[in-house]
Amino acid sequence: MANTSSTHDVKVLGAWPSPFVIRARIALNIKSVEYEFLAETPGSKSQLLLQSNPVHKKIPVLIHRGKPIAESLIIVQYIDEVWSSGPSILPSDPYDRAIARFWAAYVDDKFFPSMSLIKSEQGEKKAALVKQVTEGLVLLEEAFQKSSKGKAFFGGDRIGYLDVAFGSMLGWLRATEKMGEVKLLDEAKTPGLVQWAESFCADGAVKGLIPETEKLVEFAKLLAARMKGRGSS
Amino acid sequence: MAEVKLFRTWSSPFALRIVWALEVKGIEYEMIYEDLSNKSSMLLQYNPVYKKVPVLLHKGKPISESFVILEYIEETWKSKTPSLLPEDPYQRAMARFWAKFGDDKISPLIWEAFIKQGKDQEEALVAAHENLKYLEVELRGKKFLGGDAVGFADLAFGWLANLVSVFEEVTGVTLIDHEKFPLLLTWMQNFMDAPKIRDTWPPRDKLITKFRDLRETLMAKEPK
């Protein structure tokens, strides 16, 4: 849980709308690690961010004992390895770990990029993106059925790596559905995921981190206006 | 009947990462060469999502995506040295960071510099160099990114040792120069010469032909 006063051993540089930042925070929550959340101001990058992640200049950055780690999934694995006495985030079996990593990479490489474009596209382009995303969700449904083995989460009884990697996207998934006026997560096609989404968002380590749909929609509009304001020079 | 099979092509740099990992660790495996213009039903069955190489098949179970496969190899054959990843979690995070950086930043920019011409090529090269600077710094005081021995990040960047000189010959342009990147060039040579690695290089003349043809095809498609 975020603690802005005493614990400075662990800091997260981030912003509330970012699903990648959410991953780092959920992972720390799973391990019950107290941390300081340093919120970046939208539209600008702090000195600390530029210093801690000079290569990408992006959030999240985890700073542990003064040393910065960037890239959300790398951060999650780091957290799992450092706080090894806490509940495991990655599965224990190497093959299960490989499957979890594969799908997490799929979320980042295929799913998220397509999904993010939906809200700003129309017509044929939009339809193609929606098709890609809904097909992707069907693949993830299959992965869920195999991985959960009848339990509530990809990780089984408790949330794990793939739950964190994919679940962090749920805020934007719902916001995209609203802004794009499309249904992506469908009871009929992906019943397991619909149930999983509810369980995930209600989980103790996740509660309060997935932003409300309305807030994300507002944020997206603000961002679009800011982009327009900058013009295409 | 081999317990470990690797689906690869003769030139895929991603598949080569896995060849290197298996060779360096002394793991026995069977190679299955794919023709990507005529994919086998096995490949399509084992990697239905991407339909690409490499795919590692271990005891009948398939794993795809090169970094995922490398992590799997590291975790499954724990006793086989050298370790591809260090023990320390922070060092492990750094190795993974640099590997990902290579694929996200370096690879696309070097590719841009390879397929473009004139001003576009110049711009891509400038951007590539901006990012390669980080690698140059990372190599200070080290023989390999992994330290004394080849590690995860070295395997990720190994394609540089393999392909940059091919790209340079095909384009007639120096992509990585000695003045700016002395450590990187030394690393490329050390990697090329590393035991177990040096016998895996695809034939250079075949690579030159392949990339020359590819470049011509791509340039012909460019809008004038």
Side-chain angles (χ1 to χ4, degrees):
Chain A
M1 319 308 154
N3 176 331
T4 54
S5 53
S6 55
T7 318
H8 301 288
D9 210 26
V10 186
K11 300 187 223 270
V12 173
L13 299 189
W16 65 267
S18 162
F20 306 103
V21 171
I22 290 169
R23 288 171 175 174
R25 301 180 76 176
I26 296 173
L28 289 167
N29 287 347
I30 290 171
K31 302 284 188 177
S32 301
V33 172
E34 292 194 352
Y35 64 96
E36 186 182 351
F37 182 62
L38 298 169
E40 288 287 310
T41 313
S44 74
K45 295 180 197 236
S46 70
Q47 264 304 104
L48 185 58
L49 176 60
L50 297 176
Q51 270 166 29
S52 340
N53 189 4
V55 175
H56 301 292
K57 306 175 178 59
K58 282 185 176 176
I59 50 173
V61 180
L62 179 78
I63 305 179
H64 182 214
R65 296 180 184 148
K67 295 204 261 192
I69 299 116
E71 297 294 325
S72 64
L73 293 177
I74 293 176
I75 292 172
V76 171
Q77 286 181 93
Y78 175 82
I79 290 168
D80 202 25
E81 289 169 7
V82 169
W83 287 279
S84 51
S85 56
S88 293
I89 299 177
L90 272 157
S92 46
D93 172 70
Y95 190 72
D96 294 338
R97 290 161 79 93
I99 298 296
R101 285 183 171 124
F102 174 86
W103 288 111
Y106 175 83
V107 168
D108 280 1
D109 296 343
K110 295 280 165 194
F111 182 80
F112 179 75
S114 299
M115 185 188 74
S116 333
L117 290 172
I118 290 173
K119 60 184 179 294
S120 46
E121 290 291 349
Q122 283 114 13
E124 264 181 48
K125 265 191 175 170
K126 180 179 167 183
L129 287 165
V130 170
K131 185 169 187 279
Q132 267 176 49
V133 170
T134 44
E135 281 171 1
L137 285 167
V138 170
L139 289 176
L140 285 159
E141 170 81 10
E142 272 174 48
F144 175 73
Q145 296 300 342
K146 282 194 197 139
S147 183
S148 63
K149 301 185 176 82
K151 302 283 168 77
F153 303 108
F154 285 91
D157 283 319
R158 288 183 295 101
I159 63 171
Y161 187 76
L162 185 50
D163 297 282
V164 175
F166 182 32
S168 56
M169 300 286 152
L170 286 168
W172 280 107
L173 185 87
R174 291 177 181 143
T176 302
E177 286 180 328
K178 182 140 195 201
M179 290 184 283
E181 289 172 319
V182 288
K183 192 152 176 64
L184 296 170
L185 211 54
D186 191 327
E187 267 283 348
K189 291 193 195 136
T190 56
L193 289 183
V194 169
Q195 182 65 9
W196 162 81
E198 243 186 78
S199 311
F200 179 80
C201 293
D203 187 88
V206 180
K207 255 202 163 112
L209 289 175
I210 307 290
E212 283 164 33
T213 308
E214 295 72 38
K215 289 221 165 86
L216 284 175
V217 171
E218 208 182 290
F219 177 80
K221 287 190 181 144
L222 247 147
L223 206 62
R226 194 182 293 140
M227 293 288 178
K228 249 191 182 152
R230 286 214 191 106
S232 43
S233 35
Chain B
M1 170 71 162
E3 196 180 80
V4 180
K5 297 188 196 193
L6 175 66
F7 289 81
R8 62 169 295 189
T9 59
W10 69 272
S11 63
S12 160
F14 301 102
L16 267 174
R17 289 172 176 168
I18 314 307
V19 170
W20 293 330
L22 294 167
E23 290 288 332
V24 152
K25 283 181 162 294
I27 296 165
E28 273 191 43
Y29 67 103
E30 184 191 325
M31 272 193 278
I32 298 169
Y33 284 88
E34 283 286 323
D35 170 4
L36 294 180
S37 64
N38 184 20
K39 296 177 186 183
S40 73
S41 57
M42 275 195 296
L43 181 67
L44 299 177
Q45 182 197 333
Y46 292 136
N47 190 1
V49 176
Y50 297 109
K51 307 175 175 58
K52 284 182 176 177
V53 295
V55 176
L56 188 80
L57 199 67
H58 183 215
K59 294 180 178 162
K61 294 206 248 184
I63 302 124
S64 310
E65 294 296 289
S66 62
F67 291 157
V68 176
I69 298 172
L70 289 179
E71 298 263 8
Y72 177 81
I73 289 171
E74 180 70 354
E75 289 166 1
T76 304
W77 287 277
K78 268 207 218 5
S79 58
K80 296 267 190 184
T81 50
S83 294
L84 297 176
L85 284 167
E87 283 290 314
D88 173 66
Y90 180 74
Q91 296 303 329
R92 292 162 75 88
M94 287 302 105
R96 288 172 175 142
F97 176 85
W98 292 116
K100 187 171 199 294
F101 164 74
D103 277 6
D104 290 349
K105 290 265 156 96
I106 305 293
S107 181
L109 290 170
I110 296 281
W111 185 249
E112 273 285 298
F114 173 65
I115 60 174
K116 295 277 154 88
Q117 296 177 92
K119 194 157 195 295
D120 288 340
Q121 186 182 53
E122 272 171 46
E123 281 176 12
L125 255 179
V126 168
H129 288 172
E130 275 298 306
N131 284 281
L132 282 169
K133 274 190 323 209
Y134 293 111
L135 214 52
E136 184 72 13
V137 170
E138 232 356 73
L139 283 165
R140 284 180 193 164
K142 286 195 225 180
K143 185 177 186 193
F144 295 110
L145 291 164
D148 293 322
V150 158
F152 195 89
D154 299 284
L155 298 189
F157 281 105
W159 66 271
L160 285 170
N162 181 6
L163 289 178
V164 165
S165 70
V166 170
F167 290 174
E168 287 178 341
E169 185 164 328
V170 170
T171 58
V173 172
T174 304
L175 299 175
I176 298 180
D177 64 277
H178 197 267
E179 247 184 69
K180 282 203 200 103
F181 304 104
L183 296 178
L184 185 53
L185 285 170
T186 305
W187 171 84
M188 280 158 63
Q189 193 62 51
N190 284 335
F191 187 84
M192 268 215 294
D193 294 337
K196 311 282 176 69
I197 304 268
R198 76 181 143 230
D199 298 324
T200 66
W201 298 117
R204 187 181 164 79
D205 51 350
K206 229 179 147 186
L207 285 171
I208 304 257
T209 308
K210 170 191 163 140
F211 283 103
R212 182 164 282 143
D213 291 346
L214 190 55
R215 188 169 193 255
E216 272 171 31
T217 312
L218 289 168
M219 273 166 42
K221 283 195 188 145
E222 288 275 300
K224 296 276 182 275

